Amino acid sequence: MRVDVVSIFPEYLAALDLSLIGKARQQGLLELTVTDLREFTSDRHRTVDDTPYGGGAGMVMKPEPWAAALASALERGPFPAGAEGGGAAERPVLVVPSPAGAVFTQATARDLALREHLVFACGRYEGIDERVVDWSREHFEVRPMSLGDYVLNGGEVAVLAMVEAIGRLVPGVIGNPESLVEESHADGLLEYPVYTKPALWRERPVPEVLLSGHHGRIARWRRDRQLERTAARRPDLVASLDPATLDRADRAVLAGAGWVVAGGHVVPAGGDGPAAPVA
Ligand code: JCH
């Protein structure tokens, strides 16, 4: 996979050279290039912004440097060279972080981890002139993406998060592929709590079942904690559970947390959900 990042703060992306992504590069699985948008300006002041048409606060990023930077990224092509394998050339993906983007999820990360060429355009100020996005659709699959419903000052932090989430899913990048298998079994539930040595710390014992060696009981205990946590912290995820994936023990834990299966959905006990049809 090739990853190109364009930013007016390229030093911000230095963290990508460390840890997981750095290892992927050393293994030849991923090639990362970070370029300074100002390299693609042609005026003496290396101007990248201007006032917004229609008025309003702040500044907007000018289209010309962006077009030049993105054309330069396109020229690099996929990595390794000829990653198409004789087939039709795949469209590179242009990810544009934006508070107005679709929310980036694990499903997005899995999808993008299979692509040959990802380009990330880090905006600043009030964002990038929208015509850059429109023009880019002629050359890229364009994906405006939000990290979540909160406002950052620019795209860099969002790109750090997205490249880390994507990079660890590139085949061969994670040392222990078992971790990925467990994650993919996550069934729309939050993770269970984890513990390590010492078995007793500040008068707090590790839950005894985890020391028991009973793999079936451990699996059931972990599943119970996942269900409890999800009910307490993420009611939206509980409401999205498919009842077909819930056994009797699951339903008992959810009932204890105030959720029941009714009308083919998981709903809060005692109202709200659609009534189950009477047979
Ligand atoms: C960004 C900005 C428009 C603030 C400039 C580029 C992404 N999830 C997420 N939150 N914020 C971002 C993000 C991504 C790229 C840029 N800004 C600052 C732009 C705003 O609304 C009018 C507010 C923020």
Side-chain angles (χ1 to χ4, degrees):
M1 171 187 287
R2 184 186 303 285
V3 176
D4 287 305
V5 183
V6 183
S7 164
I8 59 168
F9 296 123
E11 327 83 71
Y12 225 118
L13 286 305
L16 290 177
D17 288 339
L18 306 167
S19 72
L20 205 66
I21 304 308
K23 264 183 224 153
R25 293 173 82 180
Q26 282 165 21
Q27 293 174 69
L29 297 168
L30 194 147
E31 183 75 6
L32 174 71
T33 308
V34 180
T35 59
D36 185 342
L37 180 68
R38 290 192 203 276
E39 285 179 21
F40 300 93
T41 56
S42 37
D43 65 313
R44 204 166 62 82
H45 299 286
R46 312 222 292 170
T47 311
V48 295
D49 63 325
D50 206 336
T51 53
Y53 277 119
M59 300 291 270
V60 173
M61 296 191 103
K62 294 168 62 59
E64 303 94 326
W66 275 111
L70 297 178
S72 170
L74 277 174
E75 279 173 23
R76 276 193 273 278
F79 175 83
E84 298 91 342
E90 178 184 298
R91 253 174 190 245
V93 178
L94 178 65
V95 177
V96 186
S98 163
V103 175
F104 181 87
T105 66
Q106 190 66 15
T108 317
R110 279 195 292 265
D111 171 23
L112 296 181
L114 303 175
R115 305 301 291 259
E116 298 162 353
H117 192 184
L118 306 180
V119 182
F120 291 85
C122 299
R124 280 270 152 179
Y125 315 111
E126 301 304 304
I128 305 170
D129 186 306
E130 190 66 20
R131 292 169 295 178
V132 174
V133 176
D134 298 336
W135 168 80
S136 295
R137 287 188 220 281
E138 293 170 19
H139 306 277
F140 294 91
E141 180 181 326
V142 180
R143 306 279 297 265
M145 284 276 141
S146 165
L147 263 203
D149 290 338
Y150 41 85
V151 179
L152 305 171
N153 277 332
E156 286 79 6
V157 164
V159 167
L160 286 175
M162 290 189 281
V163 172
E164 184 158 312
I166 295 163
R168 64 193 291 281
L169 299 179
V170 171
V173 170
I174 271 218
N176 177 12
E178 246 179 60
S179 340
L180 292 183
V181 174
E182 265 192 35
E183 275 176 24
S184 69
H185 282 224
D187 282 342
L189 296 173
L190 301 184
E191 303 305 315
Y192 52 77
V194 296
Y195 303 85
T196 187
K197 291 170 279 292
L200 184 66
W201 176 75
R202 299 193 179 181
E203 295 173 37
R204 295 159 193 269
V206 167
E208 191 207 288
V209 62
L210 299 179
L211 312 175
S212 71
H214 286 99
H215 301 299
R217 280 199 238 161
I218 291 170
R220 183 67 251 170
W221 183 88
R222 287 179 165 166
R223 175 98 177 158
D224 291 351
R225 300 293 82 73
Q226 287 190 275
L227 290 158
E228 279 179 1
R229 261 190 179 182
T230 308
R233 302 176 184 176
R234 293 292 303 275
D236 59 315
L237 294 184
V238 177
S240 298
L241 289 172
D242 176 359
T245 66
L246 302 172
D247 64 19
R248 292 173 61 106
D250 292 339
R251 289 168 197 234
V253 174
L254 287 176
W259 294 84
V260 296
V261 174
H265 295 275
V266 183
V267 297
D272 287 50
V278 179

